[in-house]
């Protein structure tokens, strides 16, 4: 957001295609800088960006020489299922009462279980709670 705000006037002068290419290059550079501490290994890429040939080409050029860039489908995970898979993992951890919100990922002060499990018959539960509240008020 800071980059876009600082360079808004320049980006506005670009054609749509050039602005998209510039932002793809910027994204690849940001990812590459975030992985500079890695010496060797494999970066598995998923999400909609894997379909952007320009972004993937920039990413392959910008990451450290020892880092291999592969799409998640090469590891058996459809790249378009990234969000669904992430929420499945978060739900799994919540069901078991284990923290999925960890300070290293969220910047929070402490680890926390994320979300809540809502009963299947929610409307009946809410009606029951409403009855109990009404009964306690009349007592």
């Amino acid at each position: 957001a800071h980059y876009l705000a600082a360079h808004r006037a320049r980006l506005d002068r670009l054609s749509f295609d050039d602005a998209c290419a510039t932002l793809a290059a910027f994204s690849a550079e940001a990812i590459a800088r975030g992985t500079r501490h890695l010496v060797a290994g494999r970066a598995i890429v998923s999400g909609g960006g894997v379909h952007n040939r320009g972004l993937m080409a920039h990413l392959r050029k910008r990451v450290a020489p020892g880092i291999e860039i592969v799409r998640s489908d090469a590891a058996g995970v459809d790249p378009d299922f990234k969000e669904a898979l992430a929420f499945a993992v978060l739900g799994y951890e919540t069901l078991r009462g284990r923290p999925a919100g960890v300070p290293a990922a969220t910047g929070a002060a402490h680890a926390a279980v994320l979300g809540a499990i809502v009963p299947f018959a929610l409307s009946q539960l809410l009606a029951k709670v409403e009855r109990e509240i009404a009964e306690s008020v009349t007592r």
Side-chain angles (χ1 to χ4, degrees):
H2 295 291
Y3 176 85
L4 293 175
H7 299 283
R8 177 80 190 227
R10 279 192 220 153
L11 289 171
D12 284 344
R13 288 192 300 262
L14 296 175
S15 70
F16 179 76
D17 289 346
D18 286 345
C20 288
T22 299
L23 293 174
F26 174 77
S27 297
E29 180 63 25
I31 294 166
R33 286 184 184 197
T35 60
R36 290 267 155 78
H37 64 285
L38 303 174
V39 178
R42 177 181 297 160
I44 299 175
V45 183
S46 63
V50 301
H51 303 296
N52 183 320
R53 291 188 306 267
L55 175 62
M56 294 299 288
H58 282 299
L59 191 55
R60 286 187 175 95
K61 284 185 221 172
R62 301 302 303 155
V63 296
I67 305 298
E68 176 189 14
I69 302 294
V70 296
R71 289 172 44 130
S72 63
D73 47 2
V77 178
D78 187 317
D80 294 324
F81 293 166
K82 178 181 189 170
E83 187 174 18
L85 186 58
F87 277 98
V89 169
L90 294 175
Y92 181 84
E93 294 303 306
T94 298
L95 277 170
R96 277 138 191 84
R98 296 190 294 227
V102 293
T106 65
H110 56 83
V113 175
L114 301 177
I117 304 303
V118 178
F120 174 74
L122 182 59
S123 59
Q124 287 95 347
L125 176 62
L126 292 175
K128 180 181 175 187
V129 169
E130 189 174 332
R131 283 191 306 274
E132 289 173 359
I133 291 171
E135 288 171 8
S136 69
V137 170
T138 59
R139 286 184 202 156

Short mmCIF file of all heavy atoms in Angstrom, two decimals, residues 1-38:
data_model
loop_
_atom_site.label_atom_id
_atom_site.label_comp_id
_atom_site.label_asym_id
_atom_site.label_seq_id
_atom_site.Cartn_x
_atom_site.Cartn_y
_atom_site.Cartn_z
N ALA A 1 0.82 -1.19 0.00
CA ALA A 1 0.00 0.00 0.00
C ALA A 1 0.87 1.26 0.00
O ALA A 1 0.56 2.22 -0.71
CB ALA A 1 -0.93 -0.01 1.20
N HIS A 2 1.96 1.22 0.77
CA HIS A 2 2.85 2.39 0.83
C HIS A 2 3.50 2.64 -0.53
O HIS A 2 3.63 3.78 -0.98
CB HIS A 2 3.92 2.22 1.91
CG HIS A 2 3.35 2.16 3.29
ND1 HIS A 2 2.79 3.26 3.90
CD2 HIS A 2 3.23 1.14 4.16
CE1 HIS A 2 2.36 2.91 5.10
NE2 HIS A 2 2.61 1.63 5.28
N TYR A 3 3.92 1.56 -1.18
CA TYR A 3 4.54 1.68 -2.50
C TYR A 3 3.55 2.27 -3.50
O TYR A 3 3.88 3.19 -4.24
CB TYR A 3 5.02 0.31 -2.98
CG TYR A 3 5.59 0.34 -4.39
CD1 TYR A 3 6.93 0.68 -4.60
CD2 TYR A 3 4.79 0.06 -5.49
CE1 TYR A 3 7.45 0.72 -5.88
CE2 TYR A 3 5.31 0.11 -6.77
CZ TYR A 3 6.64 0.44 -6.96
OH TYR A 3 7.15 0.49 -8.23
N LEU A 4 2.34 1.74 -3.50
CA LEU A 4 1.33 2.24 -4.44
C LEU A 4 1.02 3.71 -4.19
O LEU A 4 0.89 4.49 -5.14
CB LEU A 4 0.06 1.41 -4.33
CG LEU A 4 0.17 -0.04 -4.79
CD1 LEU A 4 -1.12 -0.78 -4.52
CD2 LEU A 4 0.55 -0.13 -6.25
N ALA A 5 0.90 4.08 -2.94
CA ALA A 5 0.61 5.48 -2.62
C ALA A 5 1.76 6.39 -3.04
O ALA A 5 1.53 7.47 -3.61
CB ALA A 5 0.34 5.63 -1.12
N ALA A 6 2.98 5.95 -2.81
CA ALA A 6 4.15 6.76 -3.14
C ALA A 6 4.35 6.91 -4.64
O ALA A 6 4.91 7.90 -5.11
CB ALA A 6 5.40 6.17 -2.49
N HIS A 7 3.93 5.93 -5.41
CA HIS A 7 4.17 5.92 -6.85
C HIS A 7 2.90 6.01 -7.68
O HIS A 7 2.90 5.70 -8.86
CB HIS A 7 4.96 4.66 -7.23
CG HIS A 7 6.29 4.59 -6.56
ND1 HIS A 7 7.37 5.32 -6.96
CD2 HIS A 7 6.70 3.89 -5.47
CE1 HIS A 7 8.40 5.07 -6.17
NE2 HIS A 7 8.01 4.22 -5.25
N ARG A 8 1.84 6.43 -7.06
CA ARG A 8 0.52 6.50 -7.73
C ARG A 8 0.57 7.30 -9.04
O ARG A 8 0.05 6.87 -10.05
CB ARG A 8 -0.50 7.10 -6.77
CG ARG A 8 -1.88 7.30 -7.33
CD ARG A 8 -2.60 5.99 -7.32
NE ARG A 8 -3.83 6.08 -8.06
CZ ARG A 8 -4.97 5.63 -7.63
NH1 ARG A 8 -5.04 5.08 -6.45
NH2 ARG A 8 -6.03 5.70 -8.36
N ALA A 9 1.20 8.47 -9.00
CA ALA A 9 1.24 9.33 -10.20
C ALA A 9 1.94 8.62 -11.35
O ALA A 9 1.48 8.67 -12.49
CB ALA A 9 1.94 10.65 -9.88
N ARG A 10 3.04 7.95 -11.07
CA ARG A 10 3.76 7.22 -12.12
C ARG A 10 2.93 6.06 -12.65
O ARG A 10 2.89 5.82 -13.85
CB ARG A 10 5.08 6.68 -11.58
CG ARG A 10 6.16 7.71 -11.57
CD ARG A 10 7.49 7.04 -11.31
NE ARG A 10 8.23 7.92 -10.42
CZ ARG A 10 9.14 7.53 -9.59
NH1 ARG A 10 9.47 6.27 -9.50
NH2 ARG A 10 9.76 8.38 -8.83
N LEU A 11 2.31 5.31 -11.74
CA LEU A 11 1.50 4.17 -12.18
C LEU A 11 0.30 4.62 -13.00
O LEU A 11 -0.08 3.96 -13.97
CB LEU A 11 1.04 3.35 -10.96
CG LEU A 11 2.14 2.55 -10.25
CD1 LEU A 11 1.61 1.97 -8.95
CD2 LEU A 11 2.67 1.44 -11.15
N ASP A 12 -0.28 5.74 -12.65
CA ASP A 12 -1.44 6.25 -13.39
C ASP A 12 -1.08 6.62 -14.83
O ASP A 12 -1.95 6.62 -15.70
CB ASP A 12 -2.05 7.47 -12.68
CG ASP A 12 -2.87 7.07 -11.47
OD1 ASP A 12 -3.21 5.88 -11.33
OD2 ASP A 12 -3.16 7.96 -10.64
N ARG A 13 0.18 6.95 -15.09
CA ARG A 13 0.61 7.31 -16.44
C ARG A 13 0.87 6.09 -17.31
O ARG A 13 1.01 6.21 -18.53
CB ARG A 13 1.86 8.19 -16.39
CG ARG A 13 1.58 9.59 -15.88
CD ARG A 13 2.76 10.52 -16.11
NE ARG A 13 3.98 10.08 -15.46
CZ ARG A 13 4.41 10.53 -14.28
NH1 ARG A 13 3.74 11.45 -13.63
NH2 ARG A 13 5.53 10.09 -13.77
N LEU A 14 0.97 4.92 -16.71
CA LEU A 14 1.25 3.71 -17.46
C LEU A 14 -0.03 3.16 -18.09
O LEU A 14 -1.12 3.36 -17.58
CB LEU A 14 1.84 2.63 -16.55
CG LEU A 14 3.19 2.92 -15.91
CD1 LEU A 14 3.55 1.79 -14.94
CD2 LEU A 14 4.27 3.06 -16.97
N SER A 15 0.15 2.42 -19.18
CA SER A 15 -0.99 1.69 -19.73
C SER A 15 -1.38 0.61 -18.72
O SER A 15 -0.60 0.26 -17.84
CB SER A 15 -0.62 1.04 -21.07
OG SER A 15 0.30 -0.03 -20.84
N PHE A 16 -2.56 0.07 -18.87
CA PHE A 16 -3.02 -0.98 -17.97
C PHE A 16 -2.04 -2.15 -17.99
O PHE A 16 -1.65 -2.66 -16.93
CB PHE A 16 -4.43 -1.44 -18.36
CG PHE A 16 -4.96 -2.54 -17.50
CD1 PHE A 16 -5.41 -2.28 -16.22
CD2 PHE A 16 -4.97 -3.86 -17.96
CE1 PHE A 16 -5.89 -3.30 -15.40
CE2 PHE A 16 -5.44 -4.88 -17.15
CZ PHE A 16 -5.90 -4.60 -15.87
N ASP A 17 -1.63 -2.59 -19.19
CA ASP A 17 -0.70 -3.73 -19.30
C ASP A 17 0.63 -3.43 -18.62
O ASP A 17 1.19 -4.28 -17.93
CB ASP A 17 -0.48 -4.09 -20.77
CG ASP A 17 -1.70 -4.73 -21.40
OD1 ASP A 17 -2.63 -5.14 -20.67
OD2 ASP A 17 -1.72 -4.83 -22.65
N ASP A 18 1.16 -2.21 -18.85
CA ASP A 18 2.44 -1.85 -18.23
C ASP A 18 2.32 -1.75 -16.71
O ASP A 18 3.23 -2.14 -15.98
CB ASP A 18 2.96 -0.54 -18.80
CG ASP A 18 3.51 -0.69 -20.21
OD1 ASP A 18 3.75 -1.84 -20.64
OD2 ASP A 18 3.70 0.34 -20.88
N ALA A 19 1.20 -1.23 -16.22
CA ALA A 19 1.00 -1.15 -14.77
C ALA A 19 0.93 -2.54 -14.17
O ALA A 19 1.53 -2.80 -13.11
CB ALA A 19 -0.27 -0.36 -14.45
N CYS A 20 0.23 -3.46 -14.83
CA CYS A 20 0.14 -4.84 -14.34
C CYS A 20 1.52 -5.50 -14.33
O CYS A 20 1.88 -6.18 -13.37
CB CYS A 20 -0.82 -5.66 -15.19
SG CYS A 20 -2.54 -5.22 -14.94
N ALA A 21 2.30 -5.29 -15.40
CA ALA A 21 3.65 -5.85 -15.46
C ALA A 21 4.54 -5.27 -14.37
O ALA A 21 5.33 -6.00 -13.75
CB ALA A 21 4.26 -5.60 -16.84
N THR A 22 4.41 -3.98 -14.12
CA THR A 22 5.19 -3.32 -13.07
C THR A 22 4.84 -3.90 -11.70
O THR A 22 5.73 -4.21 -10.90
CB THR A 22 4.94 -1.80 -13.08
OG1 THR A 22 5.36 -1.29 -14.35
CG2 THR A 22 5.69 -1.10 -11.96
N LEU A 23 3.56 -4.08 -11.43
CA LEU A 23 3.14 -4.63 -10.14
C LEU A 23 3.53 -6.09 -9.99
O LEU A 23 3.86 -6.54 -8.90
CB LEU A 23 1.64 -4.42 -9.94
CG LEU A 23 1.24 -2.95 -9.79
CD1 LEU A 23 -0.28 -2.82 -9.76
CD2 LEU A 23 1.87 -2.33 -8.56
N ALA A 24 3.53 -6.84 -11.11
CA ALA A 24 3.98 -8.24 -11.05
C ALA A 24 5.47 -8.28 -10.71
O ALA A 24 5.89 -9.09 -9.88
CB ALA A 24 3.71 -8.95 -12.37
N ALA A 25 6.26 -7.41 -11.34
CA ALA A 25 7.69 -7.36 -11.05
C ALA A 25 7.92 -6.94 -9.60
O ALA A 25 8.79 -7.49 -8.91
CB ALA A 25 8.39 -6.40 -12.01
N PHE A 26 7.14 -5.97 -9.13
CA PHE A 26 7.24 -5.53 -7.74
C PHE A 26 6.92 -6.68 -6.79
O PHE A 26 7.63 -6.90 -5.80
CB PHE A 26 6.30 -4.36 -7.49
CG PHE A 26 6.23 -3.94 -6.05
CD1 PHE A 26 7.24 -3.19 -5.49
CD2 PHE A 26 5.15 -4.30 -5.27
CE1 PHE A 26 7.19 -2.81 -4.15
CE2 PHE A 26 5.09 -3.93 -3.93
CZ PHE A 26 6.11 -3.18 -3.38
N SER A 27 5.86 -7.42 -7.08
CA SER A 27 5.47 -8.56 -6.23
C SER A 27 6.58 -9.60 -6.19
O SER A 27 6.91 -10.13 -5.11
CB SER A 27 4.18 -9.19 -6.75
OG SER A 27 3.13 -8.26 -6.67
N ALA A 28 7.15 -9.92 -7.35
CA ALA A 28 8.22 -10.91 -7.40
C ALA A 28 9.43 -10.44 -6.59
O ALA A 28 10.05 -11.22 -5.87
CB ALA A 28 8.62 -11.18 -8.85
N GLU A 29 9.76 -9.16 -6.70
CA GLU A 29 10.89 -8.62 -5.95
C GLU A 29 10.62 -8.69 -4.44
O GLU A 29 11.51 -9.04 -3.66
CB GLU A 29 11.18 -7.18 -6.37
CG GLU A 29 12.34 -6.55 -5.64
CD GLU A 29 13.67 -7.23 -5.88
OE1 GLU A 29 13.86 -7.89 -6.92
OE2 GLU A 29 14.55 -7.11 -5.00
N ALA A 30 9.39 -8.38 -4.03
CA ALA A 30 9.05 -8.44 -2.61
C ALA A 30 9.18 -9.87 -2.09
O ALA A 30 9.71 -10.10 -0.99
CB ALA A 30 7.63 -7.92 -2.38
N ILE A 31 8.71 -10.84 -2.86
CA ILE A 31 8.82 -12.25 -2.46
C ILE A 31 10.29 -12.66 -2.41
O ILE A 31 10.73 -13.31 -1.46
CB ILE A 31 8.03 -13.15 -3.43
CG1 ILE A 31 6.53 -12.86 -3.29
CG2 ILE A 31 8.34 -14.62 -3.18
CD1 ILE A 31 5.68 -13.44 -4.41
N ALA A 32 11.06 -12.26 -3.42
CA ALA A 32 12.48 -12.61 -3.46
C ALA A 32 13.22 -12.04 -2.25
O ALA A 32 14.02 -12.73 -1.63
CB ALA A 32 13.10 -12.11 -4.76
N ARG A 33 12.92 -10.79 -1.91
CA ARG A 33 13.58 -10.18 -0.75
C ARG A 33 13.19 -10.89 0.53
O ARG A 33 13.99 -11.01 1.46
CB ARG A 33 13.24 -8.70 -0.66
CG ARG A 33 13.94 -7.88 -1.69
CD ARG A 33 13.65 -6.42 -1.54
NE ARG A 33 14.27 -5.67 -2.62
CZ ARG A 33 14.46 -4.38 -2.59
NH1 ARG A 33 14.09 -3.65 -1.55
NH2 ARG A 33 15.02 -3.77 -3.61
N GLY A 34 11.95 -11.37 0.60
CA GLY A 34 11.49 -12.09 1.78
C GLY A 34 12.11 -13.46 1.93
O GLY A 34 12.04 -14.06 3.01
N THR A 35 12.72 -13.97 0.87
CA THR A 35 13.33 -15.30 0.92
C THR A 35 14.85 -15.25 0.81
O THR A 35 15.49 -16.29 0.68
CB THR A 35 12.76 -16.20 -0.19
OG1 THR A 35 13.05 -15.60 -1.47
CG2 THR A 35 11.28 -16.41 -0.05
N ARG A 36 15.43 -14.06 0.87
CA ARG A 36 16.89 -13.92 0.70
C ARG A 36 17.68 -14.67 1.77
O ARG A 36 18.82 -15.05 1.54
CB ARG A 36 17.29 -12.45 0.71
CG ARG A 36 16.85 -11.69 -0.52
CD ARG A 36 17.93 -11.68 -1.60
NE ARG A 36 17.38 -11.51 -2.92
CZ ARG A 36 16.98 -10.37 -3.45
NH1 ARG A 36 17.05 -9.27 -2.74
NH2 ARG A 36 16.52 -10.32 -4.67
N HIS A 37 17.08 -14.90 2.92
CA HIS A 37 17.78 -15.61 3.98
C HIS A 37 17.94 -17.11 3.66
O HIS A 37 18.74 -17.79 4.27
CB HIS A 37 17.06 -15.44 5.32
CG HIS A 37 15.70 -16.05 5.33
ND1 HIS A 37 14.61 -15.47 4.68
CD2 HIS A 37 15.24 -17.20 5.87
CE1 HIS A 37 13.55 -16.24 4.85
NE2 HIS A 37 13.90 -17.29 5.57
N LEU A 38 17.19 -17.60 2.68
CA LEU A 38 17.29 -19.01 2.29
C LEU A 38 18.49 -19.20 1.38
O LEU A 38 18.73 -18.43 0.47
CB LEU A 38 16.02 -19.45 1.57
CG LEU A 38 14.72 -19.28 2.35
CD1 LEU A 38 13.53 -19.62 1.45
CD2 LEU A 38 14.72 -20.15 3.59
#
